[in-house]
Amino acid sequence: MNAPSDRPSHPDPASVYAYDSHEFGRGVTFFDAIYAFSATLLITNLDAPEPAAWRSLQGLSEAGIGTQLFGFALSFVVIAVFWRTNVRMMRNLTGLDRPTTAINLLAAGLVILIPFTTQGISDPATQDYALPTALYALNIMLAALAQIALGWVGQHRGLNRVTPIGRERTAALVNAWLTPTVFAVSIPVTLAFGPAAGQWTWLTVAVAQLPLARYHRRHPAAVAST
């Protein structure tokens, strides 16, 4: 029996929408629209305060508008980062076939859920519960894992233009796995110590991204497939 090969498989060209094809362009437009719609849906989590609350900043703060704006801003940045990552990954593909399209749809579907889980962490009535923060972290973790799967399947199917090696591969893996790992760790932290502790854990991503960003500016190939 022959040992399984680690070399990428090559799909039937007839089943692949090439990068310069009309179908590939339609796919990119469709996914871009999903990310844009998800970001727009975040506005539905902002509830207009009672008229009396508009008399002062203190009144607006007591009405919970600060918490809602924090949830809006956080998730807007998160969705923008997911969109930017998707743009990079689509540029790195020579085409789309059924597996890559299916995984991209899964990632997009998980991004669509972000406005829903954002409601739990931004609503003053539920923000102090651990479960909303844990579900939000789970949502982000799964969306990040889906994008990792897209890069892996693209490589396995022989559709990636660039596959980093050596130090660039290590940097790419660290960059890709940082977000799902931190958000996965934040779930037990949240359940054990409360939502504030879990949300502070998320800052690890921003802190760790600083040296990674400097490395990626010097080695752009390390970002191409992540």
Side-chain angles (χ1 to χ4, degrees):
M1 180 180 296
N2 294 330
S5 174
D6 292 332
R7 290 177 297 177
S9 62
H10 295 279
D12 180 3
S15 66
V16 177
Y17 296 138
Y19 183 84
D20 57 354
S21 68
H22 178 65
E23 290 82 2
F24 188 96
R26 289 183 64 185
V28 170
T29 301
F30 175 73
F31 290 118
D32 283 349
I34 289 179
Y35 286 90
F37 181 67
S38 299
T40 303
L41 275 180
L42 292 171
I43 195 65
T44 62
N45 291 331
L46 298 179
D47 300 321
E50 296 294 330
W54 290 94
R55 294 177 179 175
S56 66
L57 291 177
Q58 181 179 354
L60 287 174
S61 177
E62 292 174 351
I65 193 65
T67 301
Q68 294 181 53
L69 287 174
F70 167 76
F72 174 87
L74 172 66
S75 291
F76 188 88
V77 171
V78 167
I79 292 174
V81 170
F82 275 126
W83 170 75
R84 186 70 185 112
T85 301
N86 184 261
V87 169
R88 287 201 306 264
M89 299 185 80
M90 295 293 278
R91 285 178 178 173
N92 192 45
L93 291 175
T94 59
L96 280 173
D97 61 357
R98 287 184 179 179
T100 51
T101 299
I103 294 176
N104 215 347
L105 284 171
L106 173 62
L110 290 165
V111 169
I112 291 175
L113 279 177
I114 292 177
F116 170 71
T117 52
T118 301
Q119 177 67 29
I121 66 171
S122 62
D123 190 329
T126 58
Q127 64 173 339
D128 293 330
Y129 297 143
L131 183 59
T133 295
L135 289 178
Y136 185 87
L138 178 64
N139 188 176
I140 303 303
M141 181 193 75
L142 292 176
L145 289 175
Q147 288 194 327
I148 291 173
L150 175 61
W152 182 85
V153 170
Q155 178 180 341
H156 180 71
R157 302 284 292 174
L159 294 173
N160 282 359
R161 298 178 188 275
V162 177
T163 300
I165 59 174
R167 290 183 179 179
E168 292 183 357
R169 176 176 173 79
T170 301
L173 288 172
V174 171
N175 182 70
W177 283 95
L178 177 63
T179 296
T181 300
V182 169
F183 278 84
V185 169
S186 75
I187 295 175
V189 171
T190 297
L191 297 177
F193 303 105
Q199 292 173 20
W200 278 108
T201 304
W202 302 341
L203 285 177
T204 307
V205 176
V207 173
Q209 282 292 345
L210 295 176
L212 284 173
R214 288 195 293 269
Y215 182 87
H216 291 154
R217 282 194 294 269
R218 293 193 295 266
H219 305 83
V223 202
S225 64
T226 59

